[in-house]
Amino acid sequence: MGTQSAGDFDEAVAALYEAAVHPQCWQSALSRVAAFSGTETFHFLRWDPMARSAPFNVHADCVSSSAIERYNSHYWSVDPRRRLVEALAVGEMAVCQRHFSDAFVSRSELFQDYLLPVIGQRYTWFARPLVAGSQEILLAMMRGEDRGPFSDDEIIRVQRVMPHLQRASRLWIDTEQLRESAAVGRQVADASGLALFGLDEACRVVHTNAQAEAMLRDGQHLLQRGAQLQAAHEPDAARLRETLADVVASRCPQRFAITSRSGEPHACFLTISTLPAGSPLRPKLGAAAVLVMARRPGRTSPLAPEELARLFGLTRAESALALALTNGKALDEYVAEAGVSMSTARTHLRAVFDKTYTRRQADLVRLLLLLPAAG
């Protein structure tokens, strides 16, 4: 394999992992895989065989949606390639030229009435990168009769890409819930009563949700003077300014409680963190660089323990710890109330971090507060 092919391989693999995180990139990623493997068109879909539907599918620009619909309405039922795909183990591929002779193709309704005249393709390789629950991920790559059968070298190229396609597909499915939850973070915060303030790098307010606006009107906990967010209780005002500056400088989240204007201690819990440039929340928060979340005591997380278990695979003990932290308790408080050792709690916390793809307690709390409750 030449130098150019090696470069094409690196670009194809990088594009697959990019698509796993940003699904809108699957079409461009698979175009790179097609170029690397010597194919012209592709169809990538998340297929539900029970419902006979594809909740997600992308295809090459040269394949029209009407052609896909035509296949689904009739040619799917007479496609001789289906038995090859159904026999594939996860991660395997099938090269149709090894199974269908020219004589077979000349008699096949699929090839003669659809693939050759409508799609303009003759040679196909199939792969089943992933089976996830009741659904499976399928990929078909095709090219025209004029290019001839796939060579051994081209088949080897596909086999090199396959493990990366599997991992990218798994990453895509595993993080789907998190992506969807982040995308609706603003609406979830409104529904759960969480006040969100988006600040720019100079800590000026650039976004407030409905709950934040209500809190500012009430004036018992937080105020906006000019463009600056301030604590209503004067002794906490300087602390809030210093904490905001420290979070901006260090990029490390911080969390603390403030006193109300009337003197009630721990009247409002604040979580302050920076928003990375690529965060899906940024466009929804007025391009804010800093996120301040304010919650009054007594509000519980919008998630129930069984929802945490379903979303992230947490155990009962891990769910209890995560929810306690979300509801404002410190780790030592949880240890005392739950009657577990600190070492056990830390073990559970590490497991929660691993399963929720977070690294710090503040990141975990932010994630769980932004997740939608089951309705």
Side-chain angles (χ1 to χ4, degrees):
M1 190 176 297
T3 303
Q4 183 59 45
S5 294
D8 289 346
F9 172 76
D10 291 340
E11 291 181 1
V13 168
L16 287 174
Y17 289 116
E18 176 73 12
V21 180
H22 303 289
Q24 67 271 23
C25 297
W26 272 116
Q27 186 176 50
S28 60
L30 293 169
S31 295
R32 289 185 179 276
V33 174
F36 176 71
S37 63
T39 54
E40 297 164 348
T41 65
F42 60 84
H43 189 194
F44 178 73
L45 67 158
R46 186 170 169 177
W47 178 251
D48 186 336
M50 297 296 293
R52 254 201 70 200
S53 64
F56 180 93
N57 75 88
V58 295
H59 47 78
D61 289 334
C62 57
V63 180
S64 68
S65 296
S66 61
I68 297 295
E69 291 173 4
R70 185 172 173 183
Y71 174 82
N72 290 339
S73 65
H74 173 68
Y75 290 101
W76 175 86
S77 62
V78 298
D79 191 343
R81 303 170 303 174
R82 278 179 51 206
R83 62 180 175 82
L84 300 179
V85 176
E86 291 167 357
L88 286 177
V90 175
E92 288 187 345
M93 63 175 291
V95 185
C96 291
Q97 68 199 41
R98 295 173 174 173
H99 301 272
F100 305 130
S101 66
D102 289 339
F104 177 91
V105 168
S106 68
R107 299 189 303 270
S108 168
E109 178 185 359
L110 173 80
F111 281 91
Q112 295 303 313
D113 294 349
Y114 179 75
L115 282 181
L116 290 169
V118 177
I119 306 297
Q121 305 299 303
R122 160 67 171 87
Y123 299 100
T124 309
W125 63 257
F126 277 104
R128 176 185 273 167
L130 181 69
V131 174
S134 62
Q135 298 183 9
E136 53 190 336
I137 308 298
L138 301 173
L139 174 63
M141 293 251 172
M142 297 169 282
R143 74 181 185 192
E145 191 169 23
D146 59 323
R147 296 189 58 182
F150 295 108
S151 67
D152 291 342
D153 179 67
E154 288 168 331
I155 294 171
I156 290 172
R157 293 187 193 186
V158 175
Q159 291 170 337
R160 288 184 65 201
V161 170
M162 194 57 57
H164 298 284
L165 178 60
Q166 282 186 267
R167 295 189 194 105
S169 297
R170 170 55 66 186
L171 179 62
W172 172 43
I173 298 301
D174 285 349
T175 58
E176 182 175 52
Q177 179 66 55
L178 299 180
R179 286 193 305 272
E180 291 177 352
S181 297
V184 298
R186 176 178 168 183
Q187 292 88 336
V188 171
D190 288 341
S192 66
L194 185 69
L196 291 186
F197 300 86
L199 313 182
D200 63 15
E201 291 280 355
C203 296
R204 293 174 299 217
V205 177
V206 295
H207 172 85
T208 53
N209 69 352
Q211 306 302 328
E213 291 169 4
M215 184 173 282
L216 292 176
R217 287 194 301 270
D218 177 63
Q220 277 293 310
H221 306 90
L222 294 167
L223 304 170
Q224 183 175 338
R225 290 200 174 125
Q228 302 295 317
L229 185 67
Q230 296 188 13
H233 185 61
E234 191 58 36
D236 285 333
R239 182 183 176 204
L240 177 56
R241 287 194 300 271
E242 293 169 0
T243 302
L244 286 170
D246 186 56
V247 170
V248 170
S250 67
R251 304 288 169 181
C252 294
Q254 294 196 37
R255 189 168 181 273
F256 64 92
I258 60 176
T259 301
S260 69
R261 180 191 290 275
S262 58
E264 178 190 359
H266 301 95
C268 184
F269 291 97
L270 302 182
T271 301
I272 305 172
S273 59
T274 55
L275 287 168
S279 170
L281 285 178
R282 272 209 171 194
K284 296 181 175 293
L285 298 176
V290 179
L291 178 64
V292 178
M293 297 184 292
R295 183 175 55 85
R296 300 176 191 179
R299 291 206 62 86
T300 58
S301 167
L303 285 177
E306 57 270 19
E307 292 179 84
L308 285 183
R310 176 178 58 83
L311 289 175
F312 302 110
L314 301 184
T315 66
R316 179 175 298 182
E318 292 162 0
S319 295
L321 171 58
L323 289 175
L325 297 176
T326 305
N327 292 328
K329 297 187 184 300
L331 190 60
D332 55 354
E333 291 179 292
Y334 170 77
V335 166
E337 292 185 6
V340 299
S341 67
M342 181 61 77
S343 62
T344 296
R346 285 175 176 157
T347 297
H348 290 162
L349 185 58
R350 283 195 296 271
V352 172
F353 285 158
D354 288 342
K355 294 177 181 180
T356 59
Y357 303 93
T358 55
R359 299 178 63 183
R360 300 183 181 91
Q361 187 171 322
D363 295 335
L364 170 67
V365 171
R366 178 173 63 185
L367 169 67
L368 297 189
L369 285 173
L370 292 178
L371 287 176

